[in-house]
Amino acid sequence: MVVFTSYFADLPIRRKLMVIISVALWVSMLVASVAFIAYDQQTARQRLSGEMQVLAKVIAARSGAAVAFGDKKAASTNVAAFEYHPAVRIACLVSSTPKPSVLAQYRRKSDNGEITRSSFCVNSYSTHPNVQNKTFYFDNGYLVVVEPVLLKNKQIGQLVLQVSLQQIQQRLWQFALVALMIQLAAGLVAYLLTARLQRMITDPLQQLSTVADHITGSHDYSLRAQRNGGDEVGVVVTAFNDMLHTIQETHHQLKEAMFELEDKRE
């Protein structure tokens, strides 16, 4: 930190302004991007969970008779409807009477054509026994939705879904890439604008430095720096010119005193 402070202190004002503006821009855009991506991820999860709960409620309502009569064919047809939603990985229709058992299940094929293998359906009822209201939660990168199957307001089973969050994760990387591209483009635009606009501050200071160098080399105290505004730089230029005026008068008075002293000696 000390080395960086020392290095930064030795930089020209133009570079200091460029660094300060660039860092401020990048940090602010980074915070805004992270906040936006976090908000989008949260809303995407809420939207997906709400959508899955609605679908689960529809299928569970249609499966009441199939569960009550143990109709595996009708139950399989109902859970197979989840094939049309790409996020659903596993769907289990579990009967609780006369004893808990998996009546039907749907497993999505992987990209290589293999059926998803999991003990999710086997453990689904023991994990969510006696569910009275639909619930959902996130577990190990998946959304789990539990919807009770009711018959005459009595729970006779439940529908359990395991939903992949891959689409949301892909959306995260897409948004991160877009945010990075926006930051790069904004950084380039800010650099070009700053390189031009910072002259409004640095040019008067550069002119002041040039005048000071001329005075140091020529001892011509009649030179003056040009004031371009009434800001802090303008105040410094005015004070600098006033100091030159005082030095010029003092130098002139000193010369006159020396001439008078030489005349008296003669």
Side-chain angles (χ1 to χ4, degrees), residues 61-258:
R62 291 177 53 186
S63 302
V67 173
F69 294 101
D71 189 346
K72 294 185 177 181
K73 182 178 180 180
S76 298
T77 301
N78 288 339
V79 295
F82 288 107
E83 178 183 3
Y84 299 101
H85 197 294
V88 179
R89 183 172 177 266
I90 302 175
C92 308
L93 194 56
V94 181
S95 173
S96 59
T97 57
K99 63 179 182 178
S101 62
V102 179
L103 187 62
Q105 59 181 304
Y106 163 76
R107 297 177 183 272
R108 181 171 299 278
K109 292 183 179 180
S110 60
D111 294 336
N112 56 11
E114 296 181 356
I115 302 296
T116 302
R117 298 184 180 276
S118 173
S119 59
F120 178 77
C121 289
V122 177
N123 300 330
S124 60
Y125 189 82
S126 60
T127 306
H128 312 284
N130 302 323
V131 177
Q132 298 299 327
N133 297 302
K134 59 183 180 180
T135 59
F136 71 94
Y137 65 92
F138 297 93
D139 180 44
N140 294 327
Y142 294 100
L143 167 66
V144 178
V145 179
V146 182
E147 178 67 33
V149 178
L150 304 177
L151 184 65
K152 296 182 180 180
N153 295 326
K154 180 181 178 181
Q155 182 176 341
I156 59 174
Q158 63 186 20
L159 175 65
V160 185
L161 306 179
Q162 187 184 68
V163 184
S164 173
L165 301 179
Q166 184 177 4
Q167 292 182 345
I168 296 179
Q169 293 173 352
Q170 290 177 350
R171 184 185 178 94
L172 169 64
W173 290 112
Q174 290 173 354
F175 272 62
L177 179 60
V178 171
L180 178 61
M181 294 176 63
I182 292 176
Q183 282 191 325
L184 292 176
L188 178 60
V189 173
Y191 175 81
L192 296 176
L193 290 176
T194 304
R196 187 171 185 84
L197 296 178
Q198 50 90 22
R199 295 178 181 177
M200 299 174 62
I201 298 176
T202 59
D203 283 355
L205 294 176
Q206 184 65 37
Q207 183 189 28
L208 183 63
S209 176
T210 302
V211 173
D213 291 339
H214 284 313
I215 294 174
T216 302
S218 63
H219 300 285
D220 183 6
Y221 300 106
S222 63
L223 296 176
R224 296 292 184 271
Q226 182 180 358
R227 176 174 175 174
N228 297 322
D231 57 359
E232 288 83 354
V233 178
V235 172
V236 172
V237 171
T238 300
F240 180 76
N241 290 335
D242 291 341
M243 181 183 65
L244 289 178
H245 178 72
T246 301
I247 294 175
Q248 184 181 15
E249 288 186 347
T250 303
H251 185 69
H252 181 70
Q253 293 174 359
L254 182 59
K255 279 186 175 182
E256 290 184 347
M258 291 177 62

